[in-house]
Amino acid sequence: MLRVRLTARRIAMRLLLVEDDAIMAEGMCRGLAEMGHAVEHVDTAEGARLALDMVPFDLAIIDIGLPDESGISLVRGLRRAGNPLPVLIVTARDSVTDRVDALDLGADDYLVKPFSLLELAARCRAVVRRISAAASSELAIGDLRLHLADRSATLADAPLALTPREWAVLECLAIRARRVVPKERLLAAISGWDRDLLPNTVEALISRLRTKLGDKACITTLRGFGYRLDDAQ
């Protein structure tokens, strides 16, 4: 598995690349990372499923010709499972039938190889913008409001000051509000800001968030399982 992580303080998008051509994947990862994106690379459909179970992504870039399963089949399975993750299909197949099949089965866009990295990045941005515009841009948990479009938060209608890593953890918890979020998933959500994370980084961020939330929202620790964000108790 090839993994590219960033040290930048702000990540434009967190992308999952599912591509079995090692040379092409390395070039795509490097180019997208240089543009400010965090990229996780896997080379099989099974690897993609495992990654999606652990990390929240903004978009998946999926090649059709994977060694263990068709990329189209992977997308079909995601949609049948109710996963709304935006998907950009990339492939050397350029027939109209292939494009129609990919879009009909749940892909959001289709890009034929070879392509420029600039076009790939532009397509990714366009898909994410389109999906984001169609979805709700606000999460509400009691008196806590997260405004996803501009990455801001309010608590009892007052602005809530958050660092980028605090925002990433709180967003991850809020998206799965009232459900347990594994510590590993929270760690993955902040890994793009610092490659040298300490073992207690998540605990420290949770402690700071609890102080800032006060009695307006509750972050519960479930030892051995993770954390859960609930309304005030």
Side-chain angles (χ1 to χ4, degrees), residues 34-55:
E34 289 174 354
M35 295 177 194
H37 306 297
V39 187
E40 181 83 12
H41 169 233
V42 296
D43 55 11
T44 63
E46 182 59 25
R49 293 190 184 93
L50 291 174
L52 290 170
D53 284 341
M54 293 299 299
V55 182

Side-chain angles (χ1 to χ4, degrees), residues 1-43:
M1 181 185 295
L2 173 67
R3 180 172 296 176
V4 177
R5 286 182 173 172
L6 307 180
T7 57
R9 296 189 64 187
R10 180 59 65 93
I11 297 172
M13 286 185 286
R14 187 175 294 279
L15 306 171
L16 175 64
L17 173 61
V18 190
E19 169 64 67
D20 66 325
D21 185 319
I23 296 176
M24 174 166 283
E26 184 175 4
M28 292 168 69
C29 285
R30 184 182 299 112
L32 290 168
E34 289 174 354
M35 295 177 194
H37 306 297
V39 187
E40 181 83 12
H41 169 233
V42 296
D43 55 11

Side-chain angles (χ1 to χ4, degrees), residues 56-67:
F57 291 98
D58 296 305
L59 178 139
I61 304 168
I62 300 176
D63 181 34
I64 287 183
L66 299 174

